[in-house]
Amino acid sequence: MRLFWKLFLLQLLAASAVVAGVLMLSRNLSVRGFAEFLEARERERMEQLAEQLGTAVGKGEDLTQAWDEFAQRRRFEKKLHLPPPEHESDSELEGGERVVVRRHISRPPLQLQDAEGHFLRGARELPEGVLREPIEVGERTIGYIVWPRAPRHPEQIQFAHQQLMHVWRIAPVALAIAAAFALLITGLIVRPIRQLSSGAAALTRREFATRLPENRRDELGTLAADFNRLARSLEGYDGRQRQWLADISHELRTPVAVLRGELEALLDGLRPADGGAIRSLRQEVGRLETLIGDLQLVSLAESGGLRLNLTQNDLAALAQQSAERFRERLKARGFELKVDAAPGLTANVDAQRIEQVLANLIENALRHASAPGPVVVTARADGTQAVLTVADGGPGVPAEALPRLFDRLYRVEAARARASGGAGLGLSICKSIVEAHGGTIAAQLSAAGGLEIVIRLPRFVGAAHGRDS
């Protein structure tokens, strides 16, 4: 059975149970209320009789004498029944005329008792569950009128029957209305589920541009929004994977083409197999090895397989040491190296990997920044975080390119030309290592107009994954 019909039948059954319960409860309460009304009316008559007896006794008559007089005056039956009143009801004949049917309603047997509850007059035997009405003169009780609870009254029976007939008339209409609402509610619930199912089928066909309408504010609307976020993520991932494969092919093609050309030149005798040729071949093989190593490092980091040897280290000392390794090269190129490291800045990090990150960033500045200009390395504390920055003096990158700088194999061609070296994996490797430490890395424009890379690392909590104890 499909989900639509399951939900519909469940709602219809629930609505039927509720309608039946409400109708039967309403009928029972109505019948009970009518019975209480009849009993209250009977008690009211007894109160009037008790008041009349009390008034007669108050005028000097004896209680039994007053009872006998009222019994004779009201023509009590042999067992002191009150005069049977007439009950009128309409009935319709076949000809359409209405006639009044009069029938007598039998009164319950009454009993007169004295103040101590002893029998005086009336019915000697009464069933259990009697009602008592005191006969009072002033504030003194001189006796009681006792009568049994009335059996089911003809009026009560007729009223209960009428109520049952009303229930049977209302039930089909109520069920039809419940079925209509069940169809409406089921459709509202199932429609977005069907849309989600169709969307999921589209994703399996790699149609990642599929989106669901987000026009609801309930859980199904939240589910549609989550689906759209998933679709956008898959679309972005698929695009990055395609670009990744294309970039890898392009990056590998260049050194392989160089190797092939040089080997063909050697084989054809166009170039002598001397030391220069061997060194050139070795240089291209080294580029391939570097590229493959970088690709493997990025792959390990993104898959959670990058192992970190986390220990407590002085980040200020690491920043100072990393910068000093490049001081002579920077000076030779006309750059001014500045290091601003706060002493005592410690964090639980892999020292070798952090030095690798700082070396990549300084090397990046050395390759792409324009001399003369400053290269500034800083290390400072910011609450529970340690902040490392590497900034250069320009020419910088366009603002729209900043979010993509850490993409694999991405280059800003205007300022990060392929001719300057590198495969475009340096910043991607830095991002992988920093995130493996539980930190973040971002690019922004520096105060000097160049590029500034900002690294934030937790000072007191190690990375949650990829660690060695």
Side-chain angles (χ1 to χ4, degrees):
M1 185 180 296
R2 299 181 64 180
L3 178 62
F4 178 88
W5 294 111
K6 288 181 180 180
L7 291 175
F8 172 74
L9 291 178
L10 286 175
Q11 291 184 81
L12 185 59
L13 288 175
S16 301
V18 171
V19 169
V22 169
L23 291 178
M24 294 306 298
L25 179 62
S26 175
R27 173 185 176 273
N28 292 337
L29 291 177
S30 298
V31 172
R32 180 179 175 182
F34 186 69
E36 292 176 350
F37 165 74
L38 293 178
E39 183 175 302
R41 188 173 65 177
E42 195 69 40
R43 182 180 291 276
E44 184 179 357
R45 293 196 182 102
M46 295 303 107
E47 289 177 354
Q48 294 176 358
L49 177 58
E51 184 179 356
Q52 293 172 0
L53 291 176
T55 301
V57 173
K59 293 180 180 180
E61 295 186 29
D62 181 68
L63 178 59
T64 55
Q65 180 183 358
W67 174 272
D68 293 338
E69 290 178 358
F70 276 102
Q72 184 179 4
R73 187 187 317 158
R74 294 180 176 275
R75 285 182 269 167
F76 271 47
E77 295 180 354
K78 187 175 182 180
K79 292 185 179 181
L80 294 180
H81 285 198
L82 288 176
E86 291 181 337
H87 171 73
E88 297 182 358
S89 64
D90 292 344
S91 62
E92 186 174 344
L93 300 180
E94 294 182 0
E97 298 180 356
R98 291 188 178 276
V99 298
V100 177
V101 178
R102 300 179 182 275
R103 57 178 179 271
H104 293 295
I105 302 174
S106 61
R107 289 290 187 187
L110 303 180
Q111 185 183 92
L112 179 65
Q113 297 179 354
D114 60 13
E116 285 74 25
H118 299 142
F119 171 79
L120 294 178
R121 291 284 190 278
R124 288 186 174 274
E125 299 294 334
L126 293 177
E128 296 181 358
V130 296
L131 302 175
R132 303 177 69 187
E133 181 65 31
I135 304 171
E136 298 177 345
V137 177
E139 297 182 357
R140 183 168 60 92
T141 300
I142 62 172
Y144 296 94
I145 299 175
V146 183
W147 74 100
R149 292 185 180 274
R152 295 197 68 181
H153 202 284
E155 289 182 346
Q156 182 180 352
I157 296 174
Q158 184 181 13
F159 182 78
H161 178 71
Q162 291 176 348
Q163 293 297 310
L164 183 61
M165 295 304 297
H166 291 330
V167 168
W168 284 113
R169 293 190 186 100
I170 295 173
V173 178
L175 289 179
I177 295 175
F181 275 101
L183 282 172
L184 176 63
I185 295 173
T186 302
L188 292 175
I189 295 175
V190 173
R191 187 180 300 113
I193 296 177
R194 288 175 177 171
Q195 292 175 345
L196 180 63
S197 178
S198 299
L203 292 184
T204 61
R205 298 191 299 269
R206 301 184 66 83
E207 298 174 5
F208 300 125
T210 303
R211 299 292 184 270
L212 298 183
E214 300 181 23
N215 53 0
R216 303 173 65 105
R217 295 185 179 181
D218 54 9
E219 286 80 1
L220 292 174
T222 303
L223 184 60
D226 292 339
F227 175 89
N228 290 339
R229 282 193 291 271
L230 174 62
R232 283 191 291 269
S233 298
L234 290 175
E235 186 178 22
Y237 177 78
D238 184 64
R240 288 192 298 272
Q241 288 299 105
R242 293 173 185 272
Q243 186 64 40
W244 168 247
L245 293 175
D247 290 342
I248 289 178
S249 300
H250 186 77
E251 292 296 333
L252 291 176
R253 186 181 295 114
T254 300
V256 170
V258 172
L259 283 173
R260 181 176 179 178
E262 294 198 7
L263 288 173
E264 288 179 351
L266 291 174
L267 292 174
D268 294 340
L270 300 177
R271 182 176 182 180
D274 55 9
I278 300 300
R279 283 192 297 272
S280 177
L281 292 175
R282 181 178 178 181
Q283 183 179 2
E284 295 302 324
V285 171
R287 290 181 181 177
L288 279 175
E289 288 179 344
T290 301
L291 177 60
I292 293 172
D294 290 344
L295 292 174
Q296 184 180 17
L297 179 60
V298 172
S299 176
L300 284 174
E302 292 186 353
S303 64
L306 181 63
R307 310 305 295 178
L308 300 177
N309 182 22
L310 299 177
T311 57
Q312 200 71 15
N313 286 278
D314 187 345
L315 293 181
L318 290 179
Q320 186 72 42
Q321 293 170 8
S322 300
E324 290 299 329
R325 294 193 185 99
F326 287 86
R327 183 175 293 278
E328 295 301 325
R329 291 178 58 192
L330 289 169
K331 184 178 180 180
R333 292 281 302 275
F335 292 101
E336 180 185 2
L337 177 63
K338 297 179 180 180
V339 181
D340 182 11
L345 179 62
T346 60
N348 196 31
V349 297
D350 186 325
Q352 183 179 354
R353 293 298 184 183
I354 295 301
E355 286 184 336
Q356 181 182 0
V357 169
L358 293 173
N360 280 347
L361 296 180
I362 300 174
E363 181 71 31
N364 196 59
L366 182 62
R367 286 181 178 179
H368 303 295
S370 299
V375 174
V376 182
V377 179
T378 66
R380 58 184 175 83
D382 184 10
T384 60
Q385 292 182 326
V387 181
L388 304 176
T389 64
V390 177
D392 59 54
V397 298
E400 61 272 13
L402 290 176
R404 296 198 57 195
L405 285 180
F406 300 97
D407 291 350
R408 296 167 300 188
L409 303 175
Y410 177 75
R411 290 185 180 89
V412 182
E413 295 300 335
R416 300 291 192 264
R418 187 181 301 272
S420 62
L425 287 171
L427 292 180
S428 181
I429 291 173
C430 293
K431 179 182 178 182
S432 300
I433 294 175
V434 170
E435 290 182 347
H437 281 81
T440 61
I441 185 171
Q444 62 188 27
L445 298 179
S446 69
L451 180 66
E452 181 177 17
I453 306 298
V454 181
I455 301 170
R456 292 182 175 272
L457 296 170
R459 296 183 60 190
F460 308 112
V461 180
H465 60 280
R467 74 167 73 183
D468 282 337
S469 58

PDB file of all heavy atoms in Angstrom, residues 199-224:
ATOM      1  N   GLY A 199      13.450  14.478  -6.574  1.00  0.00           N
ATOM      2  CA  GLY A 199      14.738  15.159  -6.511  1.00  0.00           C
ATOM      3  C   GLY A 199      15.885  14.196  -6.237  1.00  0.00           C
ATOM      4  O   GLY A 199      16.965  14.317  -6.835  1.00  0.00           O
ATOM      5  N   ALA A 200      15.660  13.252  -5.315  1.00  0.00           N
ATOM      6  CA  ALA A 200      16.707  12.273  -5.012  1.00  0.00           C
ATOM      7  C   ALA A 200      17.011  11.419  -6.245  1.00  0.00           C
ATOM      8  O   ALA A 200      18.177  11.104  -6.531  1.00  0.00           O
ATOM      9  CB  ALA A 200      16.273  11.387  -3.843  1.00  0.00           C
ATOM     10  N   ALA A 201      15.955  11.043  -7.001  1.00  0.00           N
ATOM     11  CA  ALA A 201      16.182  10.279  -8.231  1.00  0.00           C
ATOM     12  C   ALA A 201      16.983  11.103  -9.234  1.00  0.00           C
ATOM     13  O   ALA A 201      17.844  10.576  -9.950  1.00  0.00           O
ATOM     14  CB  ALA A 201      14.842   9.851  -8.826  1.00  0.00           C
ATOM     15  N   ALA A 202      16.721  12.418  -9.286  1.00  0.00           N
ATOM     16  CA  ALA A 202      17.482  13.280 -10.200  1.00  0.00           C
ATOM     17  C   ALA A 202      18.955  13.353  -9.796  1.00  0.00           C
ATOM     18  O   ALA A 202      19.844  13.364 -10.653  1.00  0.00           O
ATOM     19  CB  ALA A 202      16.862  14.677 -10.231  1.00  0.00           C
ATOM     20  N   LEU A 203      19.219  13.387  -8.487  1.00  0.00           N
ATOM     21  CA  LEU A 203      20.619  13.415  -8.034  1.00  0.00           C
ATOM     22  C   LEU A 203      21.350  12.136  -8.420  1.00  0.00           C
ATOM     23  O   LEU A 203      22.545  12.181  -8.743  1.00  0.00           O
ATOM     24  CB  LEU A 203      20.676  13.629  -6.524  1.00  0.00           C
ATOM     25  CG  LEU A 203      20.217  14.993  -5.999  1.00  0.00           C
ATOM     26  CD1 LEU A 203      20.429  15.073  -4.494  1.00  0.00           C
ATOM     27  CD2 LEU A 203      20.929  16.138  -6.699  1.00  0.00           C
ATOM     28  N   THR A 204      20.643  11.007  -8.350  1.00  0.00           N
ATOM     29  CA  THR A 204      21.296   9.752  -8.758  1.00  0.00           C
ATOM     30  C   THR A 204      21.639   9.762 -10.248  1.00  0.00           C
ATOM     31  O   THR A 204      22.540   9.031 -10.669  1.00  0.00           O
ATOM     32  CB  THR A 204      20.395   8.550  -8.450  1.00  0.00           C
ATOM     33  OG1 THR A 204      19.162   8.670  -9.173  1.00  0.00           O
ATOM     34  CG2 THR A 204      20.086   8.468  -6.960  1.00  0.00           C
ATOM     35  N   ARG A 205      20.924  10.583 -11.018  1.00  0.00           N
ATOM     36  CA  ARG A 205      21.242  10.727 -12.454  1.00  0.00           C
ATOM     37  C   ARG A 205      22.268  11.826 -12.684  1.00  0.00           C
ATOM     38  O   ARG A 205      22.469  12.256 -13.822  1.00  0.00           O
ATOM     39  CB  ARG A 205      19.960  11.020 -13.243  1.00  0.00           C
ATOM     40  CG  ARG A 205      18.916   9.927 -13.177  1.00  0.00           C
ATOM     41  CD  ARG A 205      17.795  10.170 -14.190  1.00  0.00           C
ATOM     42  NE  ARG A 205      17.091  11.410 -13.948  1.00  0.00           N
ATOM     43  CZ  ARG A 205      16.008  11.527 -13.188  1.00  0.00           C
ATOM     44  NH1 ARG A 205      15.504  10.443 -12.586  1.00  0.00           N
ATOM     45  NH2 ARG A 205      15.413  12.691 -13.010  1.00  0.00           N
ATOM     46  N   ARG A 206      22.870  12.331 -11.580  1.00  0.00           N
ATOM     47  CA  ARG A 206      23.893  13.379 -11.623  1.00  0.00           C
ATOM     48  C   ARG A 206      23.326  14.698 -12.134  1.00  0.00           C
ATOM     49  O   ARG A 206      24.062  15.530 -12.681  1.00  0.00           O
ATOM     50  CB  ARG A 206      25.092  12.941 -12.476  1.00  0.00           C
ATOM     51  CG  ARG A 206      25.771  11.679 -12.007  1.00  0.00           C
ATOM     52  CD  ARG A 206      26.996  11.359 -12.834  1.00  0.00           C
ATOM     53  NE  ARG A 206      28.033  12.365 -12.659  1.00  0.00           N
ATOM     54  CZ  ARG A 206      28.908  12.395 -11.656  1.00  0.00           C
ATOM     55  NH1 ARG A 206      28.866  11.453 -10.734  1.00  0.00           N
ATOM     56  NH2 ARG A 206      29.819  13.341 -11.580  1.00  0.00           N
ATOM     57  N   GLU A 207      22.029  14.918 -11.920  1.00  0.00           N
ATOM     58  CA  GLU A 207      21.411  16.199 -12.246  1.00  0.00           C
ATOM     59  C   GLU A 207      21.477  17.076 -10.997  1.00  0.00           C
ATOM     60  O   GLU A 207      20.486  17.307 -10.300  1.00  0.00           O
ATOM     61  CB  GLU A 207      19.970  15.995 -12.722  1.00  0.00           C
ATOM     62  CG  GLU A 207      19.860  15.159 -13.986  1.00  0.00           C
ATOM     63  CD  GLU A 207      18.423  14.837 -14.356  1.00  0.00           C
ATOM     64  OE1 GLU A 207      17.494  15.361 -13.670  1.00  0.00           O
ATOM     65  OE2 GLU A 207      18.207  14.071 -15.307  1.00  0.00           O
ATOM     66  N   PHE A 208      22.654  17.585 -10.714  1.00  0.00           N
ATOM     67  CA  PHE A 208      22.896  18.288  -9.461  1.00  0.00           C
ATOM     68  C   PHE A 208      22.310  19.698  -9.434  1.00  0.00           C
ATOM     69  O   PHE A 208      22.335  20.351  -8.387  1.00  0.00           O
ATOM     70  CB  PHE A 208      24.402  18.356  -9.182  1.00  0.00           C
ATOM     71  CG  PHE A 208      25.053  17.006  -9.055  1.00  0.00           C
ATOM     72  CD1 PHE A 208      26.134  16.653  -9.841  1.00  0.00           C
ATOM     73  CD2 PHE A 208      24.559  16.078  -8.147  1.00  0.00           C
ATOM     74  CE1 PHE A 208      26.729  15.402  -9.723  1.00  0.00           C
ATOM     75  CE2 PHE A 208      25.150  14.821  -8.020  1.00  0.00           C
ATOM     76  CZ  PHE A 208      26.229  14.491  -8.818  1.00  0.00           C
ATOM     77  N   ALA A 209      21.805  20.173 -10.544  1.00  0.00           N
ATOM     78  CA  ALA A 209      21.139  21.481 -10.562  1.00  0.00           C
ATOM     79  C   ALA A 209      19.698  21.405 -10.068  1.00  0.00           C
ATOM     80  O   ALA A 209      19.004  22.428 -10.024  1.00  0.00           O
ATOM     81  CB  ALA A 209      21.171  22.066 -11.973  1.00  0.00           C
ATOM     82  N   THR A 210      19.233  20.217  -9.680  1.00  0.00           N
ATOM     83  CA  THR A 210      17.854  20.036  -9.200  1.00  0.00           C
ATOM     84  C   THR A 210      17.655  20.784  -7.885  1.00  0.00           C
ATOM     85  O   THR A 210      18.492  20.701  -6.984  1.00  0.00           O
ATOM     86  CB  THR A 210      17.544  18.541  -9.000  1.00  0.00           C
ATOM     87  OG1 THR A 210      17.775  17.855 -10.239  1.00  0.00           O
ATOM     88  CG2 THR A 210      16.106  18.339  -8.558  1.00  0.00           C
ATOM     89  N   ARG A 211      16.542  21.491  -7.762  1.00  0.00           N
ATOM     90  CA  ARG A 211      16.194  22.197  -6.525  1.00  0.00           C
ATOM     91  C   ARG A 211      14.730  21.963  -6.200  1.00  0.00           C
ATOM     92  O   ARG A 211      13.892  21.799  -7.104  1.00  0.00           O
ATOM     93  CB  ARG A 211      16.448  23.702  -6.660  1.00  0.00           C
ATOM     94  CG  ARG A 211      17.882  24.090  -6.945  1.00  0.00           C
ATOM     95  CD  ARG A 211      18.796  23.797  -5.780  1.00  0.00           C
ATOM     96  NE  ARG A 211      20.144  24.266  -6.032  1.00  0.00           N
ATOM     97  CZ  ARG A 211      21.089  23.536  -6.614  1.00  0.00           C
ATOM     98  NH1 ARG A 211      20.812  22.290  -6.993  1.00  0.00           N
ATOM     99  NH2 ARG A 211      22.287  24.036  -6.818  1.00  0.00           N
ATOM    100  N   LEU A 212      14.415  21.941  -4.919  1.00  0.00           N
ATOM    101  CA  LEU A 212      13.036  21.793  -4.449  1.00  0.00           C
ATOM    102  C   LEU A 212      12.519  23.145  -3.981  1.00  0.00           C
ATOM    103  O   LEU A 212      13.281  23.976  -3.488  1.00  0.00           O
ATOM    104  CB  LEU A 212      12.963  20.795  -3.286  1.00  0.00           C
ATOM    105  CG  LEU A 212      13.389  19.359  -3.590  1.00  0.00           C
ATOM    106  CD1 LEU A 212      13.185  18.495  -2.351  1.00  0.00           C
ATOM    107  CD2 LEU A 212      12.612  18.787  -4.757  1.00  0.00           C
ATOM    108  N   PRO A 213      11.208  23.389  -4.121  1.00  0.00           N
ATOM    109  CA  PRO A 213      10.647  24.658  -3.624  1.00  0.00           C
ATOM    110  C   PRO A 213      10.724  24.732  -2.108  1.00  0.00           C
ATOM    111  O   PRO A 213      10.424  23.757  -1.412  1.00  0.00           O
ATOM    112  CB  PRO A 213       9.186  24.620  -4.119  1.00  0.00           C
ATOM    113  CG  PRO A 213       8.895  23.172  -4.369  1.00  0.00           C
ATOM    114  CD  PRO A 213      10.191  22.549  -4.784  1.00  0.00           C
ATOM    115  N   GLU A 214      11.121  25.879  -1.592  1.00  0.00           N
ATOM    116  CA  GLU A 214      11.237  26.082  -0.146  1.00  0.00           C
ATOM    117  C   GLU A 214      10.150  27.050   0.321  1.00  0.00           C
ATOM    118  O   GLU A 214      10.426  28.098   0.903  1.00  0.00           O
ATOM    119  CB  GLU A 214      12.623  26.635   0.198  1.00  0.00           C
ATOM    120  CG  GLU A 214      13.768  25.723  -0.216  1.00  0.00           C
ATOM    121  CD  GLU A 214      15.116  26.291   0.164  1.00  0.00           C
ATOM    122  OE1 GLU A 214      15.168  27.125   1.097  1.00  0.00           O
ATOM    123  OE2 GLU A 214      16.121  25.925  -0.478  1.00  0.00           O
ATOM    124  N   ASN A 215       8.897  26.681   0.055  1.00  0.00           N
ATOM    125  CA  ASN A 215       7.773  27.557   0.389  1.00  0.00           C
ATOM    126  C   ASN A 215       7.022  27.116   1.630  1.00  0.00           C
ATOM    127  O   ASN A 215       5.865  27.452   1.822  1.00  0.00           O
ATOM    128  CB  ASN A 215       6.802  27.632  -0.797  1.00  0.00           C
ATOM    129  CG  ASN A 215       6.360  26.242  -1.275  1.00  0.00           C
ATOM    130  OD1 ASN A 215       6.790  25.239  -0.709  1.00  0.00           O
ATOM    131  ND2 ASN A 215       5.530  26.205  -2.281  1.00  0.00           N
ATOM    132  N   ARG A 216       7.658  26.322   2.472  1.00  0.00           N
ATOM    133  CA  ARG A 216       7.035  25.863   3.715  1.00  0.00           C
ATOM    134  C   ARG A 216       7.931  26.234   4.887  1.00  0.00           C
ATOM    135  O   ARG A 216       9.145  26.360   4.726  1.00  0.00           O
ATOM    136  CB  ARG A 216       6.825  24.341   3.703  1.00  0.00           C
ATOM    137  CG  ARG A 216       5.995  23.828   2.544  1.00  0.00           C
ATOM    138  CD  ARG A 216       5.999  22.315   2.520  1.00  0.00           C
ATOM    139  NE  ARG A 216       5.355  21.763   3.686  1.00  0.00           N
ATOM    140  CZ  ARG A 216       4.137  21.220   3.685  1.00  0.00           C
ATOM    141  NH1 ARG A 216       3.446  21.174   2.573  1.00  0.00           N
ATOM    142  NH2 ARG A 216       3.616  20.730   4.795  1.00  0.00           N
ATOM    143  N   ARG A 217       7.307  26.380   6.064  1.00  0.00           N
ATOM    144  CA  ARG A 217       8.064  26.730   7.265  1.00  0.00           C
ATOM    145  C   ARG A 217       8.028  25.624   8.307  1.00  0.00           C
ATOM    146  O   ARG A 217       8.348  25.852   9.464  1.00  0.00           O
ATOM    147  CB  ARG A 217       7.511  28.024   7.871  1.00  0.00           C
ATOM    148  CG  ARG A 217       7.692  29.236   6.962  1.00  0.00           C
ATOM    149  CD  ARG A 217       7.248  30.515   7.651  1.00  0.00           C
ATOM    150  NE  ARG A 217       7.453  31.673   6.798  1.00  0.00           N
ATOM    151  CZ  ARG A 217       7.173  32.920   7.157  1.00  0.00           C
ATOM    152  NH1 ARG A 217       6.655  33.153   8.363  1.00  0.00           N
ATOM    153  NH2 ARG A 217       7.380  33.919   6.329  1.00  0.00           N
ATOM    154  N   ASP A 218       7.626  24.427   7.905  1.00  0.00           N
ATOM    155  CA  ASP A 218       7.571  23.312   8.834  1.00  0.00           C
ATOM    156  C   ASP A 218       8.763  22.392   8.598  1.00  0.00           C
ATOM    157  O   ASP A 218       9.722  22.745   7.916  1.00  0.00           O
ATOM    158  CB  ASP A 218       6.237  22.561   8.691  1.00  0.00           C
ATOM    159  CG  ASP A 218       5.985  22.137   7.246  1.00  0.00           C
ATOM    160  OD1 ASP A 218       6.922  22.268   6.416  1.00  0.00           O
ATOM    161  OD2 ASP A 218       4.873  21.681   6.938  1.00  0.00           O
ATOM    162  N   GLU A 219       8.692  21.174   9.181  1.00  0.00           N
ATOM    163  CA  GLU A 219       9.804  20.231   9.051  1.00  0.00           C
ATOM    164  C   GLU A 219      10.039  19.830   7.600  1.00  0.00           C
ATOM    165  O   GLU A 219      11.180  19.588   7.183  1.00  0.00           O
ATOM    166  CB  GLU A 219       9.530  18.981   9.905  1.00  0.00           C
ATOM    167  CG  GLU A 219       9.679  19.184  11.398  1.00  0.00           C
ATOM    168  CD  GLU A 219       8.462  19.859  12.019  1.00  0.00           C
ATOM    169  OE1 GLU A 219       7.494  20.155  11.281  1.00  0.00           O
ATOM    170  OE2 GLU A 219       8.480  20.093  13.250  1.00  0.00           O
ATOM    171  N   LEU A 220       8.953  19.736   6.812  1.00  0.00           N
ATOM    172  CA  LEU A 220       9.123  19.384   5.409  1.00  0.00           C
ATOM    173  C   LEU A 220       9.825  20.517   4.659  1.00  0.00           C
ATOM    174  O   LEU A 220      10.615  20.264   3.738  1.00  0.00           O
ATOM    175  CB  LEU A 220       7.758  19.087   4.779  1.00  0.00           C
ATOM    176  CG  LEU A 220       7.075  17.816   5.299  1.00  0.00           C
ATOM    177  CD1 LEU A 220       5.662  17.694   4.720  1.00  0.00           C
ATOM    178  CD2 LEU A 220       7.887  16.579   4.945  1.00  0.00           C
ATOM    179  N   GLY A 221       9.546  21.758   5.033  1.00  0.00           N
ATOM    180  CA  GLY A 221      10.270  22.873   4.440  1.00  0.00           C
ATOM    181  C   GLY A 221      11.748  22.830   4.797  1.00  0.00           C
ATOM    182  O   GLY A 221      12.617  23.108   3.961  1.00  0.00           O
ATOM    183  N   THR A 222      12.050  22.481   6.057  1.00  0.00           N
ATOM    184  CA  THR A 222      13.445  22.329   6.472  1.00  0.00           C
ATOM    185  C   THR A 222      14.128  21.206   5.698  1.00  0.00           C
ATOM    186  O   THR A 222      15.292  21.321   5.294  1.00  0.00           O
ATOM    187  CB  THR A 222      13.514  22.046   7.971  1.00  0.00           C
ATOM    188  OG1 THR A 222      12.864  23.099   8.688  1.00  0.00           O
ATOM    189  CG2 THR A 222      14.952  21.928   8.451  1.00  0.00           C
ATOM    190  N   LEU A 223      13.381  20.105   5.478  1.00  0.00           N
ATOM    191  CA  LEU A 223      13.926  18.993   4.711  1.00  0.00           C
ATOM    192  C   LEU A 223      14.225  19.417   3.276  1.00  0.00           C
ATOM    193  O   LEU A 223      15.265  19.047   2.710  1.00  0.00           O
ATOM    194  CB  LEU A 223      12.943  17.824   4.724  1.00  0.00           C
ATOM    195  CG  LEU A 223      13.390  16.530   4.042  1.00  0.00           C
ATOM    196  CD1 LEU A 223      14.647  15.988   4.701  1.00  0.00           C
ATOM    197  CD2 LEU A 223      12.274  15.494   4.092  1.00  0.00           C
ATOM    198  N   ALA A 224      13.328  20.206   2.674  1.00  0.00           N
ATOM    199  CA  ALA A 224      13.578  20.697   1.309  1.00  0.00           C
ATOM    200  C   ALA A 224      14.809  21.600   1.271  1.00  0.00           C
ATOM    201  O   ALA A 224      15.630  21.520   0.339  1.00  0.00           O
ATOM    202  CB  ALA A 224      12.349  21.445   0.800  1.00  0.00           C
TER     203      ALA A 224
END
